[in-house]
Amino acid sequence: MIRLEGVTKTYLTGAGAVHALRDVDLEVRAGEFVAIMGQSGSGKSTLMNILGCLDRPTSGTYRLDGRDVGRLPDSVRAKLRGAAFGFVFQSYNLLPRMSALEQVELPLIYQRVPNRRHLAAEALVRVGLADRAHHQPTQLSGGQQQRVAIARSLVVNPRLILADEPTGALDTKTGQEVMQLLTDLVDQRGITVVLVTHEQSVADFARRTLRMRDGMIVEDVVRPSL
Amino acid sequence: MIRLEGVTKTYLTGAGAVHALRDVDLEVRAGEFVAIMGQSGSGKSTLMNILGCLDRPTSGTYRLDGRDVGRLPDSVRAKLRGAAFGFVFQSYNLLPRMSALEQVELPLIYQRVPNRRHLAAEALVRVGLADRAHHQPTQLSGGQQQRVAIARSLVVNPRLILADEPTGALDTKTGQEVMQLLTDLVDQRGITVVLVTHEQSVADFARRTLRMRDGMIVEDVVRPSL
Ligand SMILES: Nc1ncnc2c1ncn2[C@@H]1O[C@H](COP(=O)(O)OP(=O)(O)OP(=O)(O)O)[C@@H](O)[C@H]1O
Ligand SMILES: Nc1ncnc2c1ncn2[C@@H]1O[C@H](COP(=O)(O)OP(=O)(O)OP(=O)(O)O)[C@@H](O)[C@H]1O
Ligand SMILES: [Mg+2]
Ligand SMILES: [Mg+2]
């Protein structure tokens, strides 16, 4: 499903070049559940941005179902993102002055899905926020904002969910509930999930764990079926 | 140093009243290292905002060194904050388009401290970001942004540091380095630290742990000297 070959990402700053990704090769098959761990600054979010077609490699290729998406025009990539991917960003990215329900409904509006309000309400129930549907971001706790972002990422039933520290602001119990929700999506609907985390207890939900250091994947471990 | 008595915080929304804090009594002595844990939505950030004089109780009193700060005018509370408190917010709150060095220097400008640039640079060294001094927030990873916020919180040598999930975006090793840094501030400079976390390994650095549920402190445990 996902194939990265020789992917690099270099940022040019006043102080010199930053090699955020150096020669990354990666294959992820449909239906896999992958965790990515690694030091702060090792390139995890950069990798996620490239996987989600939010950023382009400096060199190398990204094939999604055999199609070189790194070279497609922006408009095509934008359509792809909306239809195929669900994102949970490291800083949730909720829009100001929209209620939780409206935030979750947003991807469905772009995809012209009918029955949107009902699907959005249902997604909020799944993350335990039915009673916060009409709260705006400033009226939500950090963990509640993160859960709204999670609900938004799965409401279009995407084929691929890219979640950057999806439990970073959640207490252990709520975090485990979210991980169980993601596990069910993988097991029951064959959705592919790639998530970044620094907590081993979260990574343990995934069958495969990658470790990154200095812009490279230094470890790739698949555990046998549980 | 800190004394809360009968503190409540109620938000009025279209859907009804939200009792974010219900009857909180709390005493924290100077030089203590306190961790606060509890479920998402249990009132931790609300409590931190009141402790930091960023928000006022709906009822009850907050005495800081015997002085009722909940009743002081905004201008006096603002001065107090700048001089006495260091904050790490749950969503880092860096200013757009300012370099890491400038972000850390900001509290020193308000306090009219000389030698600012040097103190700011030193604080960045302490959180491992000497080589990111001139990067802007969009050029920093999530964990790097969080560390800039941490450096900013300690640059004025505050008496009290209030840190809301200060290691939420940090890998385990970097998180432990930050916790060691906070421990040294407590042990060597008698700074009081109150931090929110959902990770037991982080809470274990503090001698005292409070647990919150539904707006109340339900547990308060001091461990014997280590
Ligand atoms: N301005 C507001 N208006 C209405 N409700 C609010 C407002 N701010 C916070 N709340 C509610 O108050 C409760 C406590 O919020 P708080 O941010 O203190 O929780 P928290 O313990 O920090 O949670 P988390 O671990 O998720 O960050 C939550 O249920 C939240 O929805
Ligand atoms: N726009 C940019 N310009 C310059 N450098 C950048 C830019 N974006 C990211 N970087 C640098 O690239 C490196 C990788 O960043 P990235 O956000 O991928 O790290 P990360 O693994 O997600 O870290 P964290 O765990 O802290 O979130 C970092 O050292 C960062 O400073
Ligand atoms: Mg990141
Ligand atoms: Mg909070």
Side-chain angles (χ1 to χ4, degrees), chain A residues 13 18 38-41 90 132 135 139 141-144 147 165 167-174 198-199, chain B residues 13 18 38-41 90 132 135 141-144 147 165 167-174 198-199:
Chain A
T13 73
V18 174
Q39 271 215 306
S40 177
Q90 199 167 2
R132 290 287 180 270
H135 283 228
Q139 298 172 317
S141 76
Q144 289 167 348
R147 281 183 278 160
E165 294 276 3
T167 61
L170 303 178
D171 62 275
T172 306
K173 175 162 172 289
T174 310
H198 68 268
E199 291 180 71
Chain B
T13 73
V18 174
Q39 271 216 309
S40 176
Q90 198 166 3
R132 290 286 181 271
H135 283 230
S141 75
Q144 290 167 345
R147 281 184 278 159
E165 295 276 2
T167 63
L170 303 178
D171 62 275
T172 306
K173 173 161 173 290
T174 310
H198 68 267
E199 293 182 68

mmCIF file of all heavy atoms in Angstrom, chain A residues 13 18 38-41 90 132 135 139 141-144 147 165 167-174 198-199, chain B residues 13 18 38-41 90 132 135 141-144 147 165 167-174 198-199:
data_model
loop_
_atom_site.group_PDB
_atom_site.id
_atom_site.type_symbol
_atom_site.label_atom_id
_atom_site.label_comp_id
_atom_site.label_asym_id
_atom_site.label_seq_id
_atom_site.Cartn_x
_atom_site.Cartn_y
_atom_site.Cartn_z
ATOM 1 N N THR A 13 18.038 26.346 6.242
ATOM 2 C CA THR A 13 17.814 27.483 7.143
ATOM 3 C C THR A 13 19.043 28.376 7.113
ATOM 4 O O THR A 13 20.079 28.006 6.560
ATOM 5 C CB THR A 13 17.596 27.018 8.602
ATOM 6 O OG1 THR A 13 18.855 26.591 9.139
ATOM 7 C CG2 THR A 13 16.618 25.870 8.674
ATOM 8 N N VAL A 18 19.209 21.257 7.420
ATOM 9 C CA VAL A 18 18.775 20.287 8.427
ATOM 10 C C VAL A 18 18.291 19.054 7.672
ATOM 11 O O VAL A 18 17.361 19.133 6.870
ATOM 12 C CB VAL A 18 17.615 20.847 9.294
ATOM 13 C CG1 VAL A 18 17.099 19.762 10.235
ATOM 14 C CG2 VAL A 18 18.070 22.069 10.073
ATOM 15 N N GLY A 38 10.924 7.175 18.675
ATOM 16 C CA GLY A 38 12.234 7.756 18.415
ATOM 17 C C GLY A 38 12.375 9.085 19.104
ATOM 18 O O GLY A 38 11.381 9.708 19.494
ATOM 19 N N GLN A 39 13.607 9.513 19.254
ATOM 20 C CA GLN A 39 13.908 10.738 19.984
ATOM 21 C C GLN A 39 13.232 11.980 19.405
ATOM 22 O O GLN A 39 12.945 12.052 18.208
ATOM 23 C CB GLN A 39 15.419 10.972 19.938
ATOM 24 C CG GLN A 39 16.120 10.310 21.088
ATOM 25 C CD GLN A 39 17.295 11.128 21.568
ATOM 26 O OE1 GLN A 39 18.158 11.482 20.796
ATOM 27 N NE2 GLN A 39 17.315 11.436 22.855
ATOM 28 N N SER A 40 13.045 12.949 20.272
ATOM 29 C CA SER A 40 12.545 14.240 19.829
ATOM 30 C C SER A 40 13.467 14.770 18.734
ATOM 31 O O SER A 40 14.691 14.792 18.898
ATOM 32 C CB SER A 40 12.530 15.192 21.026
ATOM 33 O OG SER A 40 12.117 16.465 20.630
ATOM 34 N N GLY A 41 12.888 15.165 17.615
ATOM 35 C CA GLY A 41 13.683 15.704 16.512
ATOM 36 C C GLY A 41 14.228 14.657 15.558
ATOM 37 O O GLY A 41 14.950 14.986 14.615
ATOM 38 N N GLN A 90 0.090 16.407 15.722
ATOM 39 C CA GLN A 90 0.732 16.513 17.033
ATOM 40 C C GLN A 90 0.142 17.668 17.848
ATOM 41 O O GLN A 90 0.181 17.649 19.063
ATOM 42 C CB GLN A 90 2.246 16.672 16.854
ATOM 43 C CG GLN A 90 3.031 16.329 18.097
ATOM 44 C CD GLN A 90 4.514 16.183 17.838
ATOM 45 O OE1 GLN A 90 5.016 16.367 16.739
ATOM 46 N NE2 GLN A 90 5.251 15.823 18.877
ATOM 47 N N ARG A 132 -20.008 16.802 25.164
ATOM 48 C CA ARG A 132 -19.214 18.006 24.870
ATOM 49 C C ARG A 132 -19.436 18.457 23.421
ATOM 50 O O ARG A 132 -18.668 19.257 22.896
ATOM 51 C CB ARG A 132 -17.717 17.753 25.118
ATOM 52 C CG ARG A 132 -17.345 17.598 26.595
ATOM 53 C CD ARG A 132 -17.385 18.936 27.319
ATOM 54 N NE ARG A 132 -17.030 18.836 28.724
ATOM 55 C CZ ARG A 132 -17.908 18.610 29.694
ATOM 56 N NH1 ARG A 132 -19.211 18.441 29.407
ATOM 57 N NH2 ARG A 132 -17.505 18.546 30.955
ATOM 58 N N HIS A 135 -19.410 22.211 22.734
ATOM 59 C CA HIS A 135 -18.343 23.037 23.286
ATOM 60 C C HIS A 135 -17.366 23.448 22.191
ATOM 61 O O HIS A 135 -17.071 22.680 21.276
ATOM 62 C CB HIS A 135 -17.569 22.256 24.356
ATOM 63 C CG HIS A 135 -18.282 22.160 25.674
ATOM 64 N ND1 HIS A 135 -17.668 22.440 26.874
ATOM 65 C CD2 HIS A 135 -19.548 21.813 25.985
ATOM 66 C CE1 HIS A 135 -18.532 22.264 27.859
ATOM 67 N NE2 HIS A 135 -19.681 21.886 27.349
ATOM 68 N N GLN A 139 -13.419 25.681 25.333
ATOM 69 C CA GLN A 139 -14.249 25.127 26.417
ATOM 70 C C GLN A 139 -13.977 23.633 26.601
ATOM 71 O O GLN A 139 -14.762 22.927 27.237
ATOM 72 C CB GLN A 139 -15.735 25.342 26.109
ATOM 73 C CG GLN A 139 -16.121 26.811 26.001
ATOM 74 C CD GLN A 139 -17.539 26.988 25.506
ATOM 75 O OE1 GLN A 139 -17.972 26.313 24.582
ATOM 76 N NE2 GLN A 139 -18.257 27.918 26.112
ATOM 77 N N SER A 141 -11.030 20.544 27.537
ATOM 78 C CA SER A 141 -9.710 20.266 28.110
ATOM 79 C C SER A 141 -8.770 19.799 27.000
ATOM 80 O O SER A 141 -9.212 19.458 25.892
ATOM 81 C CB SER A 141 -9.835 19.187 29.178
ATOM 82 O OG SER A 141 -9.989 17.914 28.570
ATOM 83 N N GLY A 142 -7.454 19.758 27.295
ATOM 84 C CA GLY A 142 -6.465 19.334 26.294
ATOM 85 C C GLY A 142 -6.783 17.952 25.740
ATOM 86 O O GLY A 142 -6.760 17.717 24.530
ATOM 87 N N GLY A 143 -7.096 17.041 26.646
ATOM 88 C CA GLY A 143 -7.396 15.677 26.215
ATOM 89 C C GLY A 143 -8.706 15.593 25.445
ATOM 90 O O GLY A 143 -8.875 14.756 24.569
ATOM 91 N N GLN A 144 -9.638 16.460 25.760
ATOM 92 C CA GLN A 144 -10.905 16.484 25.018
ATOM 93 C C GLN A 144 -10.666 17.021 23.605
ATOM 94 O O GLN A 144 -11.216 16.489 22.632
ATOM 95 C CB GLN A 144 -11.938 17.326 25.776
ATOM 96 C CG GLN A 144 -12.424 16.635 27.052
ATOM 97 C CD GLN A 144 -13.196 17.558 27.986
ATOM 98 O OE1 GLN A 144 -13.202 18.776 27.825
ATOM 99 N NE2 GLN A 144 -13.867 16.967 28.971
ATOM 100 N N ARG A 147 -9.220 14.290 21.613
ATOM 101 C CA ARG A 147 -10.197 13.277 21.242
ATOM 102 C C ARG A 147 -11.126 13.752 20.131
ATOM 103 O O ARG A 147 -11.591 12.961 19.317
ATOM 104 C CB ARG A 147 -10.981 12.827 22.478
ATOM 105 C CG ARG A 147 -10.191 11.829 23.324
ATOM 106 C CD ARG A 147 -10.993 11.354 24.483
ATOM 107 N NE ARG A 147 -10.968 12.286 25.601
ATOM 108 C CZ ARG A 147 -11.866 12.315 26.581
ATOM 109 N NH1 ARG A 147 -12.888 11.478 26.558
ATOM 110 N NH2 ARG A 147 -11.755 13.181 27.572
ATOM 111 N N GLU A 165 1.230 11.125 17.995
ATOM 112 C CA GLU A 165 1.027 11.186 19.449
ATOM 113 C C GLU A 165 -0.457 11.318 19.822
ATOM 114 O O GLU A 165 -0.817 12.233 20.557
ATOM 115 C CB GLU A 165 1.802 12.361 20.065
ATOM 116 C CG GLU A 165 3.303 12.273 19.991
ATOM 117 C CD GLU A 165 3.915 11.446 21.122
ATOM 118 O OE1 GLU A 165 3.161 10.886 21.945
ATOM 119 O OE2 GLU A 165 5.159 11.359 21.154
ATOM 120 N N THR A 167 -2.283 9.942 21.916
ATOM 121 C CA THR A 167 -2.664 9.842 23.333
ATOM 122 C C THR A 167 -1.796 10.740 24.203
ATOM 123 O O THR A 167 -1.796 10.614 25.417
ATOM 124 C CB THR A 167 -2.531 8.387 23.836
ATOM 125 O OG1 THR A 167 -1.166 7.974 23.721
ATOM 126 C CG2 THR A 167 -3.410 7.450 23.030
ATOM 127 N N GLY A 168 -1.068 11.670 23.563
ATOM 128 C CA GLY A 168 -0.123 12.519 24.299
ATOM 129 C C GLY A 168 -0.757 13.304 25.429
ATOM 130 O O GLY A 168 -0.118 13.554 26.446
ATOM 131 N N ALA A 169 -2.001 13.710 25.262
ATOM 132 C CA ALA A 169 -2.657 14.525 26.292
ATOM 133 C C ALA A 169 -3.696 13.726 27.076
ATOM 134 O O ALA A 169 -4.507 14.302 27.800
ATOM 135 C CB ALA A 169 -3.333 15.744 25.652
ATOM 136 N N LEU A 170 -3.689 12.418 26.947
ATOM 137 C CA LEU A 170 -4.733 11.620 27.597
ATOM 138 C C LEU A 170 -4.203 10.863 28.803
ATOM 139 O O LEU A 170 -3.099 10.325 28.771
ATOM 140 C CB LEU A 170 -5.316 10.616 26.584
ATOM 141 C CG LEU A 170 -5.884 11.226 25.309
ATOM 142 C CD1 LEU A 170 -6.379 10.143 24.366
ATOM 143 C CD2 LEU A 170 -7.017 12.189 25.638
ATOM 144 N N ASP A 171 -5.024 10.803 29.856
ATOM 145 C CA ASP A 171 -4.655 9.971 30.999
ATOM 146 C C ASP A 171 -4.580 8.520 30.535
ATOM 147 O O ASP A 171 -5.127 8.166 29.489
ATOM 148 C CB ASP A 171 -5.694 10.115 32.112
ATOM 149 C CG ASP A 171 -7.056 9.647 31.660
ATOM 150 O OD1 ASP A 171 -7.788 10.451 31.045
ATOM 151 O OD2 ASP A 171 -7.372 8.460 31.884
ATOM 152 N N THR A 172 -3.928 7.696 31.315
ATOM 153 C CA THR A 172 -3.675 6.310 30.899
ATOM 154 C C THR A 172 -4.958 5.572 30.495
ATOM 155 O O THR A 172 -5.007 4.926 29.444
ATOM 156 C CB THR A 172 -2.966 5.558 32.036
ATOM 157 O OG1 THR A 172 -1.794 6.296 32.397
ATOM 158 C CG2 THR A 172 -2.545 4.172 31.586
ATOM 159 N N LYS A 173 -5.989 5.711 31.295
ATOM 160 C CA LYS A 173 -7.226 4.953 31.025
ATOM 161 C C LYS A 173 -7.883 5.423 29.716
ATOM 162 O O LYS A 173 -8.221 4.608 28.852
ATOM 163 C CB LYS A 173 -8.183 5.138 32.207
ATOM 164 C CG LYS A 173 -9.564 4.509 32.010
ATOM 165 C CD LYS A 173 -10.291 4.349 33.352
ATOM 166 C CE LYS A 173 -11.727 3.914 33.170
ATOM 167 N NZ LYS A 173 -12.585 4.997 32.610
ATOM 168 N N THR A 174 -8.015 6.740 29.542
ATOM 169 C CA THR A 174 -8.625 7.259 28.315
ATOM 170 C C THR A 174 -7.752 6.895 27.116
ATOM 171 O O THR A 174 -8.258 6.547 26.044
ATOM 172 C CB THR A 174 -8.806 8.790 28.400
ATOM 173 O OG1 THR A 174 -9.455 9.115 29.626
ATOM 174 C CG2 THR A 174 -9.631 9.314 27.249
ATOM 175 N N HIS A 198 5.602 7.998 22.130
ATOM 176 C CA HIS A 198 6.841 7.761 22.878
ATOM 177 C C HIS A 198 6.582 6.812 24.041
ATOM 178 O O HIS A 198 7.484 6.532 24.830
ATOM 179 C CB HIS A 198 7.468 9.081 23.364
ATOM 180 C CG HIS A 198 6.673 9.787 24.409
ATOM 181 N ND1 HIS A 198 5.731 10.731 24.111
ATOM 182 C CD2 HIS A 198 6.679 9.677 25.748
ATOM 183 C CE1 HIS A 198 5.193 11.190 25.227
ATOM 184 N NE2 HIS A 198 5.741 10.564 26.240
ATOM 185 N N GLU A 199 5.338 6.320 24.146
ATOM 186 C CA GLU A 199 5.033 5.435 25.272
ATOM 187 C C GLU A 199 4.975 3.975 24.825
ATOM 188 O O GLU A 199 4.198 3.612 23.931
ATOM 189 C CB GLU A 199 3.704 5.856 25.905
ATOM 190 C CG GLU A 199 3.804 7.213 26.615
ATOM 191 C CD GLU A 199 2.498 7.639 27.256
ATOM 192 O OE1 GLU A 199 2.105 7.017 28.267
ATOM 193 O OE2 GLU A 199 1.871 8.587 26.749
ATOM 194 N N THR B 13 -22.463 27.229 30.240
ATOM 195 C CA THR B 13 -22.537 27.089 28.789
ATOM 196 C C THR B 13 -23.998 26.947 28.390
ATOM 197 O O THR B 13 -24.874 26.787 29.246
ATOM 198 C CB THR B 13 -21.771 25.841 28.292
ATOM 199 O OG1 THR B 13 -22.527 24.669 28.637
ATOM 200 C CG2 THR B 13 -20.405 25.728 28.941
ATOM 201 N N VAL B 18 -20.905 23.663 33.951
ATOM 202 C CA VAL B 18 -19.860 22.648 34.051
ATOM 203 C C VAL B 18 -19.080 22.951 35.324
ATOM 204 O O VAL B 18 -18.520 24.028 35.481
ATOM 205 C CB VAL B 18 -18.892 22.702 32.843
ATOM 206 C CG1 VAL B 18 -17.744 21.724 33.061
ATOM 207 C CG2 VAL B 18 -19.619 22.383 31.546
ATOM 208 N N GLY B 38 -4.771 12.517 36.859
ATOM 209 C CA GLY B 38 -6.228 12.391 36.863
ATOM 210 C C GLY B 38 -6.767 12.312 35.459
ATOM 211 O O GLY B 38 -6.085 12.684 34.501
ATOM 212 N N GLN B 39 -7.969 11.838 35.336
ATOM 213 C CA GLN B 39 -8.585 11.624 34.031
ATOM 214 C C GLN B 39 -8.692 12.896 33.199
ATOM 215 O O GLN B 39 -8.772 14.014 33.737
ATOM 216 C CB GLN B 39 -10.001 11.089 34.245
ATOM 217 C CG GLN B 39 -10.043 9.583 34.325
ATOM 218 C CD GLN B 39 -11.297 9.028 33.692
ATOM 219 O OE1 GLN B 39 -12.389 9.480 34.018
ATOM 220 N NE2 GLN B 39 -11.134 8.088 32.796
ATOM 221 N N SER B 40 -8.752 12.697 31.913
ATOM 222 C CA SER B 40 -8.994 13.806 30.995
ATOM 223 C C SER B 40 -10.302 14.491 31.413
ATOM 224 O O SER B 40 -11.320 13.822 31.601
ATOM 225 C CB SER B 40 -9.108 13.254 29.568
ATOM 226 O OG SER B 40 -9.419 14.285 28.679
ATOM 227 N N GLY B 41 -10.262 15.796 31.572
ATOM 228 C CA GLY B 41 -11.454 16.550 31.955
ATOM 229 C C GLY B 41 -11.691 16.650 33.448
ATOM 230 O O GLY B 41 -12.694 17.227 33.876
ATOM 231 N N GLN B 90 -0.237 23.474 28.448
ATOM 232 C CA GLN B 90 -0.510 22.186 27.803
ATOM 233 C C GLN B 90 -0.323 22.280 26.289
ATOM 234 O O GLN B 90 -0.050 21.299 25.625
ATOM 235 C CB GLN B 90 -1.934 21.728 28.149
ATOM 236 C CG GLN B 90 -2.173 20.254 27.913
ATOM 237 C CD GLN B 90 -3.446 19.746 28.563
ATOM 238 O OE1 GLN B 90 -4.218 20.498 29.156
ATOM 239 N NE2 GLN B 90 -3.689 18.458 28.438
ATOM 240 N N ARG B 132 19.262 24.992 17.935
ATOM 241 C CA ARG B 132 17.979 25.374 17.324
ATOM 242 C C ARG B 132 17.608 26.801 17.718
ATOM 243 O O ARG B 132 16.460 27.220 17.569
ATOM 244 C CB ARG B 132 16.863 24.417 17.751
ATOM 245 C CG ARG B 132 16.979 23.019 17.163
ATOM 246 C CD ARG B 132 16.603 23.012 15.688
ATOM 247 N NE ARG B 132 16.678 21.703 15.076
ATOM 248 C CZ ARG B 132 17.774 21.201 14.515
ATOM 249 N NH1 ARG B 132 18.916 21.881 14.534
ATOM 250 N NH2 ARG B 132 17.733 19.999 13.955
ATOM 251 N N HIS B 135 15.758 28.897 15.116
ATOM 252 C CA HIS B 135 14.613 28.325 14.417
ATOM 253 C C HIS B 135 13.321 28.943 14.935
ATOM 254 O O HIS B 135 13.178 29.235 16.123
ATOM 255 C CB HIS B 135 14.552 26.807 14.638
ATOM 256 C CG HIS B 135 15.534 26.039 13.811
ATOM 257 N ND1 HIS B 135 15.167 24.946 13.054
ATOM 258 C CD2 HIS B 135 16.857 26.195 13.612
ATOM 259 C CE1 HIS B 135 16.230 24.456 12.443
ATOM 260 N NE2 HIS B 135 17.275 25.187 12.770
ATOM 261 N N SER B 141 10.457 20.673 15.878
ATOM 262 C CA SER B 141 9.576 19.523 16.100
ATOM 263 C C SER B 141 8.702 19.803 17.332
ATOM 264 O O SER B 141 8.962 20.722 18.104
ATOM 265 C CB SER B 141 10.416 18.267 16.342
ATOM 266 O OG SER B 141 10.972 18.285 17.646
ATOM 267 N N GLY B 142 7.661 18.963 17.521
ATOM 268 C CA GLY B 142 6.751 19.136 18.657
ATOM 269 C C GLY B 142 7.496 19.141 19.985
ATOM 270 O O GLY B 142 7.283 20.007 20.844
ATOM 271 N N GLY B 143 8.390 18.199 20.129
ATOM 272 C CA GLY B 143 9.148 18.107 21.374
ATOM 273 C C GLY B 143 10.117 19.266 21.538
ATOM 274 O O GLY B 143 10.417 19.684 22.659
ATOM 275 N N GLN B 144 10.627 19.779 20.448
ATOM 276 C CA GLN B 144 11.534 20.943 20.527
ATOM 277 C C GLN B 144 10.738 22.184 20.946
ATOM 278 O O GLN B 144 11.202 22.992 21.758
ATOM 279 C CB GLN B 144 12.237 21.159 19.185
ATOM 280 C CG GLN B 144 13.254 20.048 18.893
ATOM 281 C CD GLN B 144 13.740 20.049 17.458
ATOM 282 O OE1 GLN B 144 13.158 20.684 16.589
ATOM 283 N NE2 GLN B 144 14.810 19.312 17.203
ATOM 284 N N ARG B 147 10.189 22.010 24.566
ATOM 285 C CA ARG B 147 11.396 22.320 25.348
ATOM 286 C C ARG B 147 11.697 23.803 25.348
ATOM 287 O O ARG B 147 12.247 24.336 26.311
ATOM 288 C CB ARG B 147 12.564 21.497 24.817
ATOM 289 C CG ARG B 147 12.521 20.057 25.335
ATOM 290 C CD ARG B 147 13.727 19.280 24.874
ATOM 291 N NE ARG B 147 13.578 18.773 23.524
ATOM 292 C CZ ARG B 147 14.593 18.416 22.752
ATOM 293 N NH1 ARG B 147 15.824 18.519 23.181
ATOM 294 N NH2 ARG B 147 14.367 17.946 21.531
ATOM 295 N N GLU B 165 1.671 18.963 31.677
ATOM 296 C CA GLU B 165 2.183 17.923 30.766
ATOM 297 C C GLU B 165 3.504 18.339 30.094
ATOM 298 O O GLU B 165 3.599 18.309 28.873
ATOM 299 C CB GLU B 165 1.160 17.585 29.679
ATOM 300 C CG GLU B 165 -0.129 16.939 30.166
ATOM 301 C CD GLU B 165 -0.025 15.434 30.350
ATOM 302 O OE1 GLU B 165 1.068 14.858 30.138
ATOM 303 O OE2 GLU B 165 -1.046 14.819 30.721
ATOM 304 N N THR B 167 6.192 16.907 29.570
ATOM 305 C CA THR B 167 6.910 15.905 28.784
ATOM 306 C C THR B 167 5.979 15.198 27.801
ATOM 307 O O THR B 167 6.337 14.172 27.234
ATOM 308 C CB THR B 167 7.564 14.849 29.703
ATOM 309 O OG1 THR B 167 6.537 14.147 30.420
ATOM 310 C CG2 THR B 167 8.526 15.493 30.685
ATOM 311 N N GLY B 168 4.790 15.780 27.610
ATOM 312 C CA GLY B 168 3.788 15.121 26.764
ATOM 313 C C GLY B 168 4.267 14.822 25.346
ATOM 314 O O GLY B 168 3.870 13.829 24.749
ATOM 315 N N ALA B 169 5.127 15.671 24.806
ATOM 316 C CA ALA B 169 5.582 15.473 23.426
ATOM 317 C C ALA B 169 7.029 14.988 23.371
ATOM 318 O O ALA B 169 7.648 15.008 22.318
ATOM 319 C CB ALA B 169 5.459 16.783 22.643
ATOM 320 N N LEU B 170 7.562 14.547 24.485
ATOM 321 C CA LEU B 170 8.983 14.165 24.512
ATOM 322 C C LEU B 170 9.160 12.657 24.574
ATOM 323 O O LEU B 170 8.448 11.963 25.296
ATOM 324 C CB LEU B 170 9.678 14.799 25.723
ATOM 325 C CG LEU B 170 9.584 16.325 25.799
ATOM 326 C CD1 LEU B 170 10.257 16.840 27.049
ATOM 327 C CD2 LEU B 170 10.188 16.955 24.557
ATOM 328 N N ASP B 171 10.147 12.143 23.848
ATOM 329 C CA ASP B 171 10.487 10.722 23.964
ATOM 330 C C ASP B 171 10.956 10.469 25.393
ATOM 331 O O ASP B 171 11.313 11.394 26.116
ATOM 332 C CB ASP B 171 11.589 10.358 22.964
ATOM 333 C CG ASP B 171 12.861 11.124 23.248
ATOM 334 O OD1 ASP B 171 12.981 12.267 22.764
ATOM 335 O OD2 ASP B 171 13.690 10.617 24.016
ATOM 336 N N THR B 172 10.952 9.218 25.774
ATOM 337 C CA THR B 172 11.240 8.863 27.170
ATOM 338 C C THR B 172 12.566 9.444 27.656
ATOM 339 O O THR B 172 12.633 10.039 28.732
ATOM 340 C CB THR B 172 11.240 7.336 27.320
ATOM 341 O OG1 THR B 172 9.995 6.842 26.823
ATOM 342 C CG2 THR B 172 11.387 6.936 28.773
ATOM 343 N N LYS B 173 13.622 9.306 26.853
ATOM 344 C CA LYS B 173 14.949 9.773 27.293
ATOM 345 C C LYS B 173 14.972 11.294 27.472
ATOM 346 O O LYS B 173 15.408 11.808 28.504
ATOM 347 C CB LYS B 173 15.984 9.319 26.269
ATOM 348 C CG LYS B 173 17.396 9.858 26.497
ATOM 349 C CD LYS B 173 18.428 9.014 25.749
ATOM 350 C CE LYS B 173 19.812 9.635 25.813
ATOM 351 N NZ LYS B 173 19.918 10.885 25.006
ATOM 352 N N THR B 174 14.467 12.037 26.488
ATOM 353 C CA THR B 174 14.446 13.498 26.599
ATOM 354 C C THR B 174 13.558 13.919 27.773
ATOM 355 O O THR B 174 13.871 14.866 28.503
ATOM 356 C CB THR B 174 13.954 14.146 25.289
ATOM 357 O OG1 THR B 174 14.677 13.596 24.196
ATOM 358 C CG2 THR B 174 14.126 15.650 25.312
ATOM 359 N N HIS B 198 0.311 12.445 32.966
ATOM 360 C CA HIS B 198 -0.472 11.210 33.047
ATOM 361 C C HIS B 198 0.456 10.004 33.088
ATOM 362 O O HIS B 198 0.000 8.869 33.095
ATOM 363 C CB HIS B 198 -1.473 11.091 31.885
ATOM 364 C CG HIS B 198 -0.834 10.905 30.553
ATOM 365 N ND1 HIS B 198 -0.537 11.955 29.719
ATOM 366 C CD2 HIS B 198 -0.429 9.789 29.907
ATOM 367 C CE1 HIS B 198 0.022 11.501 28.619
ATOM 368 N NE2 HIS B 198 0.109 10.183 28.703
ATOM 369 N N GLU B 199 1.768 10.266 33.132
ATOM 370 C CA GLU B 199 2.710 9.139 33.139
ATOM 371 C C GLU B 199 3.290 8.928 34.535
ATOM 372 O O GLU B 199 3.893 9.832 35.117
ATOM 373 C CB GLU B 199 3.824 9.392 32.125
ATOM 374 C CG GLU B 199 3.299 9.374 30.694
ATOM 375 C CD GLU B 199 4.406 9.579 29.671
ATOM 376 O OE1 GLU B 199 5.261 8.685 29.524
ATOM 377 O OE2 GLU B 199 4.400 10.639 29.024
#
